[in-house]
Amino acid sequence: MRYGIAAVVLATGCLSTPPYQPQTSVSYTEAGAGGTATGHDFALRFADGDGLHFPDALMIDGADVMGHDMGQRCFDEEETGFVIQPTPRISAHGAPPLLNQLVPVLRGPAVVQVQLTWTTRLTCAGDHTPGGTSLFTVFPDGRIVRHDTLDEPNAAGLFTNGCACDSWVGGFTVATYWTLAWTPTLRLYAPDPSMVPSSADSGMEIANRGAACVDHGAYQTAFAWHDPNGTTIHGGHEVNKLLVIGRHFTVGDSMPKFGWQDSSALFVGRTGCTDALARAGEHVVPSPLTISEPGNAPRTVMPGILDGIYGSSDSGDSPPGLALTGDRVELSGPVNSSFAVWLRFPRPVAELRATRDGATGAWYLPQRVDDRGWIVWFRDRLYPGQTIAIEPF
């Protein structure tokens, strides 16, 4: 089902509402067992075929910037996914799948959300079937929030001896990661410039940073993590020159039953790394959003750790969304970047509008999830003293 945006009508000259088909939006299109989440100038492609349906391309301005090299060792990072080194990487072209289910949860126009549920089988030391979920939430401004879980249910544990798919020295290392194709024209930035190497040589590494930005010239890609402990950016593999952005931890020579989860975000920017790092900072230390309804005490909410939407996965409500008692709600911040909020009205709502003093153009984008649930994405930051009112139209 493709979730549509309700048509809105300009009621008076002082109300500003977005057009029915705004230029800035996101959509999802299936392609076999895979698909693509597409924005105005970027796209994240989920692999089709026999392999795991992890993303295998990140398109910006029509070019794929994701890192690819099938010639490297079987457990090294490539494309996007997980590693349980020294076992085969878990990606679109890595370990064989047992369970491999890709589901588009939300299809736009304000938010696309895609969930991959997977398991694989390791070929060493008994019956080991690690698995997990990866939830990708894509917004119109090029923000992609990723939440991963990883689980090994066998309590017997693993040992590096006999589990390596290639020569390996050291203990198990577990990571979730992205890769970019490194070129000499790229420049790497972090909030602390002293931590940034001048080039992606074989010894390059940035460790335990909450955010970082890669400047491609015409655009930027920034990365952020809720928990910076264990994060690394390294690159300059002698063969492939991939830039690897991930969160790693080393377990040791043996690995018992374990669980893992991680929340990260990727940002596509156009106005330089300073702005991109400011957007990434909202993922590292998000701003609170105040929700006010007539007759009720204001509520302060934070974006969900699973998807970066205010009032979604962490609201405690089922189905998702901040449960409202009436038709009108007001939002106040400040919030230091674009953002989205998930609301659940007490009655069915067919059309929705938002108003803010001085707002013009397509400054917001509503998405109907079901008869009472709506997601609204806001293009601009919310400054101190500003208020956004949302109500049925």
Side-chain angles (χ1 to χ4, degrees):
M1 174 180 179
R2 184 175 294 276
Y3 295 107
I5 171 174
V8 288
V9 179
L10 191 62
T12 68
C14 63
L15 296 178
S16 176
T17 56
Y20 179 68
Q21 292 181 329
Q23 182 181 18
T24 302
S25 63
V26 285
S27 62
Y28 183 78
T29 304
E30 283 95 350
T36 302
T38 304
H40 174 59
D41 51 12
F42 70 94
L44 183 66
R45 187 180 71 193
F46 296 85
D48 186 16
D50 297 331
L52 291 165
H53 303 310
F54 278 98
D56 66 348
L58 174 62
M59 310 297 294
I60 303 178
D61 292 347
D64 184 11
V65 302
M66 191 172 286
H68 304 276
D69 187 348
M70 292 303 296
Q72 64 179 342
R73 295 180 300 180
C74 55
F75 49 70
D76 279 330
E77 299 95 332
E78 193 251 357
E79 296 180 329
T80 296
F82 292 84
V83 288
I84 309 174
Q85 295 170 332
T87 70
R89 80 180 67 86
I90 300 164
S91 66
H93 298 93
L98 292 179
L99 175 65
N100 191 20
Q101 185 177 30
L102 188 71
V103 176
V105 181
L106 300 168
R107 296 174 174 267
V111 177
V112 164
Q113 192 171 83
V114 184
Q115 179 168 293
L116 174 63
T117 305
W118 62 273
T119 60
T120 187
R121 186 182 302 278
L122 302 182
T123 59
C124 60
D127 187 20
H128 291 275
T129 56
T133 61
S134 290
L135 184 69
F136 295 85
T137 306
V138 185
F139 299 88
D141 60 345
R143 175 168 64 120
I144 302 173
V145 175
R146 174 182 171 186
H147 185 269
D148 299 297
T149 66
L150 178 63
D151 179 66
E152 162 54 64
N154 191 327
L158 288 169
F159 298 89
T160 53
N161 183 23
C163 284
C165 60
D166 203 338
S167 58
W168 175 260
V169 176
F172 281 105
T173 297
V174 179
T176 61
Y177 69 89
W178 297 82
T179 66
L180 296 176
W182 180 266
T183 65
T185 61
L186 301 188
R187 294 294 180 267
L188 184 60
Y189 297 88
D192 180 358
S194 67
M195 297 295 295
V196 181
S198 59
S199 65
D201 59 33
S202 59
M204 190 201 85
E205 180 172 313
I206 299 176
N208 299 326
R209 301 286 95 185
C213 178
V214 179
D215 193 343
H216 303 253
Y219 55 86
Q220 296 78 42
T221 50
F223 299 86
W225 298 265
H226 272 299
D227 182 358
N229 293 319
T231 62
T232 63
I233 298 180
H234 60 273
H237 288 305
E238 293 297 331
V239 175
N240 51 45
K241 296 294 183 184
L242 301 187
L243 189 66
V244 180
I245 304 102
R247 186 162 180 258
H248 301 68
F249 72 94
T250 299
V251 180
D253 291 337
S254 64
M255 186 166 62
K257 176 180 177 180
F258 69 91
W260 157 279
Q261 64 174 319
D262 184 42
S263 178
S264 62
L266 181 154
F267 301 82
V268 178
R270 297 283 177 177
T271 56
C273 273
T274 299
D275 288 346
L277 287 170
R279 293 171 65 197
E282 273 293 296
H283 187 82
V284 180
V285 184
S287 300
L289 181 69
T290 300
I291 308 294
S292 301
E293 296 185 79
N296 294 331
R299 291 180 283 172
T300 299
V301 298
M302 303 298 289
I305 195 171
L306 300 183
D307 54 22
I309 303 173
Y310 286 95
S312 61
S313 55
D314 296 340
S315 66
D317 299 319
S318 182
L322 287 167
L324 305 178
T325 60
D327 284 351
R328 180 182 173 90
V329 63
E330 293 185 349
L331 313 179
S332 56
V335 177
N336 296 317
S337 70
S338 58
F339 65 98
V341 61
W342 196 325
L343 304 172
R344 180 156 295 276
F345 290 87
R347 64 174 180 85
V349 171
E351 298 175 349
L352 201 67
R353 74 177 177 194
T355 55
R356 191 192 75 211
D357 288 346
T360 59
W363 63 279
Y364 73 97
L365 183 56
Q367 176 174 328
R368 187 180 183 183
V369 180
D370 54 42
D371 62 343
R372 299 187 184 192
W374 285 79
I375 297 173
V376 189
W377 175 78
F378 297 96
R379 179 193 64 190
D380 306 318
R381 62 182 298 181
L382 187 57
Y383 287 92
Q386 287 185 327
T387 298
I388 296 173
I390 304 174
E391 57 192 339
F393 185 69

